[in-house]
Amino acid sequence: MNVDTDLSEGSAGALFAVLADRNRRRIIERIVDEGPATATALSRELGITRQGVAKHLGGMAEAGVLASTRTGAEVHYRLVPGALEPGTEWLTRVGREWDLRLDALKRHVDG
């Protein structure tokens, strides 16, 4: 996965690039629901090859969505606090704009 910007700069684009893939969304959901996990555990639980999971994890870490901690030979991945906020902020802003437009249209039609 090639991400042009990182989430530390508040980039919704980097987050949406991560979320565009179903398997990456599944990885995030698993980590959110059950806590940090290794590539091996995620591979076993999600039915994706370990190599595939490792590639996803690397791209997600590069985008600033996941961070890793090495314990001996194992690397545990966890969600970075606030990593999903740029997407939430963008969706909220766009939703607010549409609400304003729809309210104006309703006033015009009812008018």
Side-chain angles (χ1 to χ4, degrees):
M1 182 178 98
N2 184 11
V3 178
D4 295 332
T5 57
D6 73 10
L7 291 174
S8 64
E9 297 176 3
S11 171
L15 176 60
F16 290 136
V18 167
L19 297 176
D21 183 90
R22 178 179 178 263
N23 286 324
R24 291 192 292 264
R25 290 190 309 272
R26 291 175 61 209
I27 290 168
I28 290 171
E29 289 171 359
R30 163 40 187 90
I31 290 173
V32 166
D33 291 344
E34 299 181 37
T38 64
T40 302
L42 290 167
S43 171
R44 188 173 45 249
E45 294 170 26
L46 301 176
I48 306 167
T49 66
R50 189 190 178 293
Q51 182 180 5
V53 169
K55 183 175 179 180
H56 286 307
L57 292 171
M60 294 164 73
E62 180 184 320
V65 174
L66 298 180
S68 62
T69 304
R70 180 174 288 281
T71 306
E74 293 186 325
V75 179
H76 290 82
Y77 289 86
R78 68 187 180 290
L79 189 66
V80 171
L84 303 179
E85 286 179 22
T88 302
E89 291 168 2
W90 185 87
L91 289 168
T92 300
R93 184 174 48 80
V94 170
R96 196 171 27 244
E97 288 295 320
W98 273 104
D99 288 344
L100 292 172
R101 291 177 186 183
L102 291 172
D103 286 346
L105 178 62
K106 182 177 182 340
R107 284 192 306 276
H108 177 75
V109 169
D110 291 345

